Amino acid sequence: MSISGQKRATRDHQSKFGQLELLFELASALSRAREPHEIYSAAVHGLAQVLAADRAAVLIFDPDDVLRFKEWVGLSEEYRAAVEGHTPWKRGSVEAQPIAVSDAMQDASISTYRQVHAKEGIRAVAFIPMMGSGGLIGKFVLYYSAQHEFQTDELQFTQTIATHVAFAAEWQSADVARRQSAGLGLSVTHGIVRSHGGAIHGSVSSHGTTFQVRLPCAEKTIEEHSKPIASVGVEKGASSGYRPGGRG
């Protein structure tokens, strides 16, 4: 093998190793994350390092259908404000494909942002769709300060990361909603019980959490004649019984 061939093989090996390392780091981040932005941060910083990108970002559609920055590396506030909302695909699209622009100063498809890219020092850019369970939910963007011919394996790897992050972020958002719903359900229950002159108490043991509801007997005070009318245990791993936020 020639010297140039050996050098290319070494670079390829290092690139593959870096990609595997990022996958492991991302898996670890997913297991620890409690909010979607923690997942975005791990992915954006990891991609920028592994693919030697000068900048990187992730944008997600908000409820108002505007695509907004959620995490980024190396992008100015002025640039983010100028391009926020730009998307080459519609939300929910199931046919979105990566778009690679090797020279942002010449490509007509993004000519509207030519001056913005020039001021930010961006010469090459790639848009990678984030596909969730219901279609497109956002995009990853890779930026380079010089012209860059995006390789197929670069785009495929970034697409793989984007897909994993999209599903993880959806699951994490649903989990946050479930936790918030659980707190709201318990709060509503507490309000109903108190409005009837009752009380609700919780206790925690090695078996789980138990909630005890007391309501007063008719024409008697809660102190004199209250008695438990419901004492429901929530055992760890149990598939039945009352759970905060559940259907009871």
Side-chain angles (χ1 to χ4, degrees):
M1 181 183 291
S2 65
I3 294 178
S4 61
Q6 290 176 346
K7 289 182 178 179
R8 185 167 56 253
T10 299
R11 286 196 301 269
D12 291 342
H13 176 74
Q14 291 174 338
S15 176
K16 295 297 182 184
F17 179 79
Q19 291 178 8
L20 287 174
E21 191 173 37
L22 174 55
L23 287 173
F24 282 119
E25 290 177 354
L26 187 57
S28 177
L30 294 181
S31 68
R32 299 191 308 267
R34 294 185 59 82
E35 301 290 344
H37 77 84
E38 298 176 60
I39 302 173
Y40 302 147
S41 179
V44 167
H45 286 81
L47 280 172
Q49 180 178 352
V50 171
L51 299 180
D54 298 295
R55 304 166 182 83
V58 60
L59 296 88
I60 301 293
F61 282 105
D62 278 339
D64 59 1
D65 286 341
V66 176
L67 198 62
R68 293 188 173 92
F69 285 90
K70 301 301 178 182
E71 193 67 37
W72 59 88
V73 176
L75 295 173
S76 69
E77 182 177 355
E78 182 181 1
Y79 175 81
R80 298 196 311 273
V83 303
E84 192 166 73
H86 166 263
T87 172
W89 320 283
K90 291 183 178 181
R91 182 177 192 172
S93 171
V94 296
E95 299 178 351
Q97 296 294 322
I99 298 174
V101 178
S102 59
D103 189 349
M105 296 298 102
Q106 300 297 326
D107 195 286
S109 65
I110 55 173
S111 60
T112 303
Y113 300 98
R114 189 167 295 164
Q115 291 185 349
V116 176
H117 286 143
K119 187 173 183 179
E120 191 74 4
I122 294 171
R123 192 64 186 266
V125 60
F127 306 106
I128 313 297
M130 291 180 65
M131 308 299 291
S133 58
L136 185 77
I137 68 168
K139 68 179 179 180
F140 269 99
V141 190
L142 300 174
Y143 308 87
Y144 290 84
S145 298
Q147 293 184 41
H148 182 82
E149 293 296 332
F150 291 92
Q151 303 301 308
T152 300
D153 61 340
E154 288 180 318
L155 298 176
Q156 289 178 340
F157 176 69
T158 306
Q159 183 68 81
T160 298
I161 295 296
T163 300
H164 285 309
V165 169
F167 279 109
E170 283 188 331
W171 182 90
Q172 192 64 260
S173 295
D175 184 57
V176 170
R178 284 193 296 270
R179 285 189 271 119
Q180 291 175 340
S181 176
L184 178 60
L186 189 58
S187 176
V188 170
T189 302
H190 184 260
I192 293 174
V193 172
R194 288 199 62 182
S195 70
H196 288 80
I200 182 170
H201 302 283
S203 61
V204 180
S205 69
S206 59
H207 298 291
T209 303
T210 298
F211 292 97
Q212 189 176 78
V213 177
R214 289 176 177 270
L215 291 173
C217 294
E219 299 182 354
K220 301 292 183 180
T221 64
I222 186 171
E223 290 82 2
E224 295 176 344
H225 294 285
S226 63
K227 64 179 181 178
I229 66 168
S231 182
V232 184
V234 182
E235 295 186 359
K236 294 181 177 178
S239 58
S240 62
Y242 175 79
R243 292 181 182 277
R247 297 183 179 179

Short mmCIF file of all heavy atoms in Angstrom, two decimals, residues 106-156:
data_model
loop_
_atom_site.label_atom_id
_atom_site.label_comp_id
_atom_site.label_asym_id
_atom_site.label_seq_id
_atom_site.Cartn_x
_atom_site.Cartn_y
_atom_site.Cartn_z
N GLN A 106 -22.03 29.96 -3.62
CA GLN A 106 -22.38 29.73 -5.02
C GLN A 106 -23.72 29.05 -5.20
O GLN A 106 -24.36 29.21 -6.24
CB GLN A 106 -21.28 28.86 -5.67
CG GLN A 106 -19.89 29.47 -5.66
CD GLN A 106 -19.81 30.76 -6.45
OE1 GLN A 106 -20.47 30.92 -7.47
NE2 GLN A 106 -18.99 31.70 -5.98
N ASP A 107 -24.17 28.30 -4.19
CA ASP A 107 -25.40 27.51 -4.33
C ASP A 107 -26.64 28.42 -4.35
O ASP A 107 -26.86 29.21 -3.44
CB ASP A 107 -25.50 26.51 -3.18
CG ASP A 107 -26.53 25.44 -3.45
OD1 ASP A 107 -27.73 25.74 -3.37
OD2 ASP A 107 -26.12 24.30 -3.73
N ALA A 108 -27.45 28.25 -5.38
CA ALA A 108 -28.63 29.11 -5.55
C ALA A 108 -29.74 28.79 -4.55
O ALA A 108 -30.56 29.67 -4.24
CB ALA A 108 -29.17 28.97 -6.97
N SER A 109 -29.78 27.57 -4.02
CA SER A 109 -30.88 27.16 -3.15
C SER A 109 -30.92 27.93 -1.83
O SER A 109 -31.96 28.04 -1.19
CB SER A 109 -30.81 25.65 -2.86
OG SER A 109 -29.64 25.33 -2.13
N ILE A 110 -29.76 28.45 -1.41
CA ILE A 110 -29.72 29.22 -0.16
C ILE A 110 -29.14 30.62 -0.39
O ILE A 110 -28.56 31.23 0.51
CB ILE A 110 -28.89 28.49 0.94
CG1 ILE A 110 -27.48 28.18 0.44
CG2 ILE A 110 -29.60 27.23 1.39
CD1 ILE A 110 -26.59 27.61 1.53
N SER A 111 -29.32 31.12 -1.60
CA SER A 111 -28.76 32.43 -1.96
C SER A 111 -29.33 33.56 -1.11
O SER A 111 -28.69 34.59 -0.91
CB SER A 111 -29.01 32.72 -3.45
OG SER A 111 -30.42 32.72 -3.73
N THR A 112 -30.56 33.37 -0.59
CA THR A 112 -31.19 34.39 0.26
C THR A 112 -30.35 34.68 1.49
O THR A 112 -30.34 35.81 2.00
CB THR A 112 -32.59 33.92 0.72
OG1 THR A 112 -33.38 33.62 -0.43
CG2 THR A 112 -33.27 34.98 1.56
N TYR A 113 -29.60 33.68 1.95
CA TYR A 113 -28.81 33.83 3.17
C TYR A 113 -27.31 33.99 2.87
O TYR A 113 -26.48 33.82 3.76
CB TYR A 113 -29.02 32.60 4.07
CG TYR A 113 -30.46 32.41 4.50
CD1 TYR A 113 -31.29 31.52 3.83
CD2 TYR A 113 -30.99 33.16 5.55
CE1 TYR A 113 -32.62 31.37 4.21
CE2 TYR A 113 -32.31 33.00 5.94
CZ TYR A 113 -33.12 32.11 5.26
OH TYR A 113 -34.44 31.96 5.64
N ARG A 114 -26.96 34.31 1.64
CA ARG A 114 -25.55 34.38 1.25
C ARG A 114 -24.78 35.41 2.09
O ARG A 114 -23.70 35.13 2.59
CB ARG A 114 -25.45 34.71 -0.24
CG ARG A 114 -24.03 34.60 -0.80
CD ARG A 114 -24.08 34.63 -2.32
NE ARG A 114 -24.77 33.45 -2.84
CZ ARG A 114 -25.23 33.34 -4.08
NH1 ARG A 114 -25.10 34.36 -4.93
NH2 ARG A 114 -25.82 32.23 -4.49
N GLN A 115 -25.34 36.60 2.24
CA GLN A 115 -24.65 37.62 3.02
C GLN A 115 -24.56 37.24 4.50
O GLN A 115 -23.56 37.51 5.17
CB GLN A 115 -25.37 38.97 2.87
CG GLN A 115 -25.25 39.57 1.47
CD GLN A 115 -25.87 40.96 1.40
OE1 GLN A 115 -26.57 41.40 2.31
NE2 GLN A 115 -25.61 41.67 0.31
N VAL A 116 -25.61 36.62 5.00
CA VAL A 116 -25.61 36.18 6.40
C VAL A 116 -24.53 35.13 6.63
O VAL A 116 -23.80 35.19 7.62
CB VAL A 116 -27.00 35.59 6.76
CG1 VAL A 116 -26.98 35.04 8.18
CG2 VAL A 116 -28.08 36.65 6.61
N HIS A 117 -24.41 34.18 5.70
CA HIS A 117 -23.38 33.15 5.81
C HIS A 117 -21.98 33.76 5.70
O HIS A 117 -21.07 33.37 6.42
CB HIS A 117 -23.58 32.09 4.72
CG HIS A 117 -24.74 31.19 4.99
ND1 HIS A 117 -25.56 30.71 3.98
CD2 HIS A 117 -25.24 30.68 6.14
CE1 HIS A 117 -26.49 29.94 4.51
NE2 HIS A 117 -26.32 29.91 5.82
N ALA A 118 -21.85 34.71 4.78
CA ALA A 118 -20.54 35.35 4.60
C ALA A 118 -20.11 36.08 5.87
O ALA A 118 -18.95 35.99 6.29
CB ALA A 118 -20.59 36.32 3.42
N LYS A 119 -21.02 36.79 6.48
CA LYS A 119 -20.70 37.53 7.70
C LYS A 119 -20.35 36.59 8.85
O LYS A 119 -19.49 36.90 9.68
CB LYS A 119 -21.89 38.40 8.09
CG LYS A 119 -21.59 39.35 9.26
CD LYS A 119 -22.74 40.31 9.49
CE LYS A 119 -22.40 41.29 10.61
NZ LYS A 119 -23.51 42.26 10.84
N GLU A 120 -21.00 35.42 8.88
CA GLU A 120 -20.75 34.45 9.95
C GLU A 120 -19.52 33.60 9.66
O GLU A 120 -19.01 32.90 10.55
CB GLU A 120 -21.98 33.54 10.13
CG GLU A 120 -21.94 32.67 11.36
CD GLU A 120 -22.20 33.43 12.66
OE1 GLU A 120 -22.49 34.65 12.59
OE2 GLU A 120 -22.11 32.81 13.73
N GLY A 121 -19.02 33.68 8.43
CA GLY A 121 -17.84 32.88 8.07
C GLY A 121 -18.19 31.44 7.73
O GLY A 121 -17.38 30.53 7.93
N ILE A 122 -19.40 31.23 7.20
CA ILE A 122 -19.85 29.88 6.85
C ILE A 122 -19.74 29.70 5.34
O ILE A 122 -20.29 30.49 4.57
CB ILE A 122 -21.32 29.66 7.29
CG1 ILE A 122 -21.41 29.69 8.82
CG2 ILE A 122 -21.86 28.34 6.74
CD1 ILE A 122 -22.83 29.70 9.35
N ARG A 123 -19.04 28.64 4.93
CA ARG A 123 -18.85 28.39 3.49
C ARG A 123 -19.56 27.12 3.02
O ARG A 123 -19.95 27.03 1.86
CB ARG A 123 -17.36 28.31 3.18
CG ARG A 123 -17.03 28.35 1.70
CD ARG A 123 -17.43 29.68 1.08
NE ARG A 123 -17.26 29.69 -0.36
CZ ARG A 123 -16.17 30.13 -0.98
NH1 ARG A 123 -15.14 30.58 -0.27
NH2 ARG A 123 -16.09 30.13 -2.30
N ALA A 124 -19.71 26.15 3.92
CA ALA A 124 -20.39 24.91 3.56
C ALA A 124 -21.38 24.54 4.66
O ALA A 124 -21.13 24.81 5.84
CB ALA A 124 -19.39 23.79 3.35
N VAL A 125 -22.50 23.94 4.27
CA VAL A 125 -23.53 23.62 5.25
C VAL A 125 -24.30 22.38 4.82
O VAL A 125 -24.47 22.12 3.62
CB VAL A 125 -24.49 24.83 5.42
CG1 VAL A 125 -25.16 25.16 4.10
CG2 VAL A 125 -25.52 24.56 6.49
N ALA A 126 -24.73 21.59 5.79
CA ALA A 126 -25.56 20.41 5.50
C ALA A 126 -26.75 20.39 6.45
O ALA A 126 -26.60 20.62 7.65
CB ALA A 126 -24.73 19.14 5.66
N PHE A 127 -27.93 20.15 5.89
CA PHE A 127 -29.16 20.06 6.68
C PHE A 127 -29.57 18.59 6.76
O PHE A 127 -29.77 17.94 5.73
CB PHE A 127 -30.28 20.87 6.01
CG PHE A 127 -29.92 22.31 5.73
CD1 PHE A 127 -29.66 22.73 4.43
CD2 PHE A 127 -29.82 23.23 6.76
CE1 PHE A 127 -29.32 24.04 4.16
CE2 PHE A 127 -29.48 24.55 6.51
CZ PHE A 127 -29.23 24.96 5.22
N ILE A 128 -29.70 18.09 7.97
CA ILE A 128 -30.03 16.68 8.19
C ILE A 128 -31.39 16.60 8.88
O ILE A 128 -31.55 17.11 9.99
CB ILE A 128 -28.97 15.98 9.06
CG1 ILE A 128 -27.56 16.31 8.57
CG2 ILE A 128 -29.22 14.49 9.11
CD1 ILE A 128 -27.25 15.81 7.18
N PRO A 129 -32.38 15.97 8.26
CA PRO A 129 -33.72 15.91 8.87
C PRO A 129 -33.75 15.04 10.12
O PRO A 129 -33.10 14.00 10.18
CB PRO A 129 -34.58 15.31 7.76
CG PRO A 129 -33.62 14.50 6.93
CD PRO A 129 -32.34 15.29 6.96
N MET A 130 -34.51 15.47 11.12
CA MET A 130 -34.75 14.68 12.32
C MET A 130 -36.14 14.07 12.19
O MET A 130 -37.14 14.78 12.23
CB MET A 130 -34.66 15.54 13.57
CG MET A 130 -33.26 16.05 13.88
SD MET A 130 -33.24 17.08 15.38
CE MET A 130 -33.69 15.87 16.64
N MET A 131 -36.18 12.77 12.03
CA MET A 131 -37.43 12.08 11.79
C MET A 131 -37.93 11.41 13.06
O MET A 131 -37.27 10.53 13.62
CB MET A 131 -37.25 11.03 10.68
CG MET A 131 -36.62 11.59 9.41
SD MET A 131 -37.61 12.91 8.64
CE MET A 131 -39.01 11.96 8.06
N GLY A 132 -39.10 11.84 13.53
CA GLY A 132 -39.70 11.24 14.70
C GLY A 132 -40.76 10.22 14.30
O GLY A 132 -40.86 9.84 13.13
N SER A 133 -41.55 9.78 15.25
CA SER A 133 -42.56 8.76 14.98
C SER A 133 -43.64 9.26 14.03
O SER A 133 -44.26 8.47 13.32
CB SER A 133 -43.19 8.29 16.29
OG SER A 133 -43.77 9.40 16.99
N GLY A 134 -43.86 10.58 14.00
CA GLY A 134 -44.89 11.13 13.13
C GLY A 134 -44.34 11.90 11.96
O GLY A 134 -45.05 12.68 11.32
N GLY A 135 -43.06 11.71 11.65
CA GLY A 135 -42.43 12.43 10.54
C GLY A 135 -41.42 13.45 11.04
O GLY A 135 -40.90 13.35 12.15
N LEU A 136 -41.15 14.46 10.23
CA LEU A 136 -40.12 15.45 10.53
C LEU A 136 -40.46 16.28 11.77
O LEU A 136 -41.55 16.83 11.87
CB LEU A 136 -39.95 16.38 9.34
CG LEU A 136 -38.83 17.42 9.46
CD1 LEU A 136 -37.47 16.76 9.21
CD2 LEU A 136 -39.04 18.55 8.46
N ILE A 137 -39.50 16.37 12.72
CA ILE A 137 -39.70 17.20 13.91
C ILE A 137 -38.66 18.31 14.02
O ILE A 137 -38.78 19.19 14.86
CB ILE A 137 -39.67 16.37 15.20
CG1 ILE A 137 -38.27 15.79 15.46
CG2 ILE A 137 -40.71 15.26 15.16
CD1 ILE A 137 -38.10 15.22 16.85
N GLY A 138 -37.61 18.26 13.17
CA GLY A 138 -36.57 19.27 13.26
C GLY A 138 -35.41 18.94 12.33
O GLY A 138 -35.56 18.13 11.40
N LYS A 139 -34.27 19.54 12.58
CA LYS A 139 -33.10 19.28 11.74
C LYS A 139 -31.80 19.50 12.50
O LYS A 139 -31.73 20.30 13.43
CB LYS A 139 -33.11 20.19 10.50
CG LYS A 139 -32.90 21.68 10.82
CD LYS A 139 -32.89 22.52 9.53
CE LYS A 139 -32.70 24.02 9.85
NZ LYS A 139 -32.69 24.85 8.63
N PHE A 140 -30.78 18.74 12.11
CA PHE A 140 -29.41 18.99 12.51
C PHE A 140 -28.76 19.79 11.39
O PHE A 140 -29.09 19.59 10.21
CB PHE A 140 -28.64 17.68 12.68
CG PHE A 140 -28.69 17.12 14.08
CD1 PHE A 140 -29.58 16.10 14.39
CD2 PHE A 140 -27.84 17.59 15.06
CE1 PHE A 140 -29.63 15.57 15.66
CE2 PHE A 140 -27.89 17.07 16.34
CZ PHE A 140 -28.79 16.05 16.64
N VAL A 141 -27.84 20.67 11.75
CA VAL A 141 -27.12 21.43 10.74
C VAL A 141 -25.62 21.38 11.05
O VAL A 141 -25.22 21.60 12.20
CB VAL A 141 -27.57 22.91 10.68
CG1 VAL A 141 -26.96 23.59 9.45
CG2 VAL A 141 -29.09 23.02 10.63
N LEU A 142 -24.83 21.06 10.05
CA LEU A 142 -23.37 21.08 10.17
C LEU A 142 -22.83 22.24 9.34
O LEU A 142 -23.29 22.47 8.21
CB LEU A 142 -22.76 19.77 9.66
CG LEU A 142 -23.19 18.48 10.36
CD1 LEU A 142 -22.62 17.27 9.64
CD2 LEU A 142 -22.76 18.50 11.82
N TYR A 143 -21.88 22.98 9.89
CA TYR A 143 -21.31 24.15 9.20
C TYR A 143 -19.78 24.02 9.12
O TYR A 143 -19.15 23.59 10.09
CB TYR A 143 -21.62 25.44 9.96
CG TYR A 143 -23.08 25.69 10.30
CD1 TYR A 143 -23.63 25.18 11.47
CD2 TYR A 143 -23.90 26.47 9.48
CE1 TYR A 143 -24.95 25.42 11.82
CE2 TYR A 143 -25.22 26.72 9.81
CZ TYR A 143 -25.75 26.19 10.99
OH TYR A 143 -27.04 26.45 11.33
N TYR A 144 -19.23 24.45 7.97
CA TYR A 144 -17.78 24.47 7.79
C TYR A 144 -17.36 25.85 7.29
O TYR A 144 -18.07 26.48 6.51
CB TYR A 144 -17.34 23.40 6.79
CG TYR A 144 -17.49 21.98 7.32
CD1 TYR A 144 -18.72 21.33 7.23
CD2 TYR A 144 -16.42 21.31 7.91
CE1 TYR A 144 -18.87 20.05 7.73
CE2 TYR A 144 -16.57 20.02 8.41
CZ TYR A 144 -17.79 19.39 8.31
OH TYR A 144 -17.95 18.12 8.81
N SER A 145 -16.21 26.29 7.74
CA SER A 145 -15.73 27.62 7.39
C SER A 145 -15.12 27.67 5.99
O SER A 145 -14.96 28.74 5.42
CB SER A 145 -14.67 28.09 8.41
OG SER A 145 -15.24 28.18 9.69
N ALA A 146 -14.78 26.50 5.44
CA ALA A 146 -14.23 26.41 4.09
C ALA A 146 -15.13 25.50 3.26
O ALA A 146 -16.01 24.81 3.79
CB ALA A 146 -12.81 25.86 4.12
N GLN A 147 -14.95 25.50 1.95
CA GLN A 147 -15.70 24.59 1.10
C GLN A 147 -15.48 23.16 1.58
O GLN A 147 -14.39 22.78 1.98
CB GLN A 147 -15.25 24.72 -0.35
CG GLN A 147 -15.59 26.06 -0.99
CD GLN A 147 -15.20 26.10 -2.46
OE1 GLN A 147 -15.39 25.15 -3.20
NE2 GLN A 147 -14.65 27.23 -2.88
N HIS A 148 -16.55 22.39 1.54
CA HIS A 148 -16.45 21.02 2.07
C HIS A 148 -17.30 20.09 1.22
O HIS A 148 -18.51 20.31 1.08
CB HIS A 148 -16.92 20.98 3.52
CG HIS A 148 -16.82 19.63 4.16
ND1 HIS A 148 -15.64 19.13 4.68
CD2 HIS A 148 -17.75 18.65 4.35
CE1 HIS A 148 -15.85 17.93 5.18
NE2 HIS A 148 -17.13 17.61 4.99
N GLU A 149 -16.67 19.07 0.69
CA GLU A 149 -17.40 18.06 -0.07
C GLU A 149 -17.89 17.01 0.91
O GLU A 149 -17.11 16.20 1.41
CB GLU A 149 -16.49 17.43 -1.14
CG GLU A 149 -16.08 18.37 -2.25
CD GLU A 149 -17.27 18.86 -3.08
OE1 GLU A 149 -18.28 18.11 -3.16
OE2 GLU A 149 -17.19 19.97 -3.63
N PHE A 150 -19.17 17.04 1.20
CA PHE A 150 -19.74 16.11 2.17
C PHE A 150 -19.72 14.69 1.61
O PHE A 150 -20.19 14.44 0.49
CB PHE A 150 -21.16 16.52 2.52
CG PHE A 150 -21.25 17.79 3.31
CD1 PHE A 150 -21.40 19.01 2.68
CD2 PHE A 150 -21.16 17.76 4.70
CE1 PHE A 150 -21.47 20.19 3.41
CE2 PHE A 150 -21.23 18.93 5.44
CZ PHE A 150 -21.38 20.15 4.79
N GLN A 151 -19.18 13.77 2.41
CA GLN A 151 -19.11 12.38 2.00
C GLN A 151 -20.39 11.64 2.42
O GLN A 151 -21.06 12.03 3.38
CB GLN A 151 -17.89 11.71 2.64
CG GLN A 151 -16.57 12.38 2.31
CD GLN A 151 -16.31 12.42 0.80
OE1 GLN A 151 -16.38 11.38 0.13
NE2 GLN A 151 -16.02 13.60 0.28
N THR A 152 -20.69 10.61 1.67
CA THR A 152 -21.91 9.84 1.95
C THR A 152 -21.92 9.30 3.36
O THR A 152 -22.95 9.34 4.05
CB THR A 152 -22.05 8.68 0.95
OG1 THR A 152 -22.12 9.20 -0.38
CG2 THR A 152 -23.32 7.87 1.23
N ASP A 153 -20.77 8.79 3.83
CA ASP A 153 -20.73 8.21 5.18
C ASP A 153 -20.92 9.27 6.26
O ASP A 153 -21.49 9.00 7.32
CB ASP A 153 -19.44 7.43 5.41
CG ASP A 153 -18.20 8.29 5.30
OD1 ASP A 153 -18.28 9.37 4.69
OD2 ASP A 153 -17.14 7.89 5.82
N GLU A 154 -20.49 10.51 5.99
CA GLU A 154 -20.71 11.60 6.94
C GLU A 154 -22.20 11.88 7.10
O GLU A 154 -22.71 12.01 8.22
CB GLU A 154 -20.02 12.89 6.44
CG GLU A 154 -18.53 12.91 6.52
CD GLU A 154 -17.96 14.21 6.01
OE1 GLU A 154 -18.43 14.72 4.97
OE2 GLU A 154 -17.02 14.74 6.64
N LEU A 155 -22.88 11.97 5.97
CA LEU A 155 -24.31 12.26 5.99
C LEU A 155 -25.11 11.11 6.59
O LEU A 155 -26.05 11.33 7.36
CB LEU A 155 -24.80 12.57 4.57
CG LEU A 155 -24.17 13.79 3.90
CD1 LEU A 155 -24.67 13.93 2.47
CD2 LEU A 155 -24.47 15.06 4.68
N GLN A 156 -24.72 9.88 6.26
CA GLN A 156 -25.41 8.71 6.81
C GLN A 156 -25.24 8.63 8.32
O GLN A 156 -26.20 8.32 9.05
CB GLN A 156 -24.90 7.43 6.15
CG GLN A 156 -25.33 7.28 4.70
CD GLN A 156 -24.76 6.03 4.05
OE1 GLN A 156 -23.76 5.45 4.52
NE2 GLN A 156 -25.38 5.60 2.96
#
